[in-house]
Amino acid sequence: AYLAGTMTIELTPERRGLARDTRRDVRFVLAVARALHTAGTTAQRLDDSLDTLARRLGLLEPQFFSTPTSIM
């Protein structure tokens, strides 16, 4: 598992050992999360979009939690 901020992610077997790329991917997902949250995206759409993005980047089991004032 890889923990970035408050986002926990399991790595796919082929991604293990690519920690530098994983950190970059997690930073990217978090940047997208901030942008979508700031733009007023609904919680359901935010969670679904981030889940899809994280999985396409090869990150397994992403978990997100958002409220009107924060993202975790």
Side-chain angles (χ1 to χ4, degrees), residues 4-63:
T6 57
M7 188 169 100
T8 305
I9 297 172
E10 293 294 324
L11 301 178
T12 59
E14 59 273 5
R15 294 296 304 247
R16 291 188 187 125
L18 299 176
R20 182 169 297 141
D21 290 339
T22 299
R23 284 191 294 269
R24 183 194 65 216
D25 292 347
V26 169
R27 283 193 304 268
F28 177 70
V29 171
L30 291 173
V32 170
R34 281 186 215 103
L36 291 173
H37 192 263
T38 300
T41 303
T42 64
Q44 180 66 41
R45 181 167 290 197
L46 180 68
D47 289 348
D48 290 346
S49 298
L50 296 177
D51 185 70
T52 299
L53 176 60
R55 289 179 188 280
R56 288 193 178 181
L57 290 171
L59 305 170
L60 292 179
E61 306 284 335
Q63 298 177 10

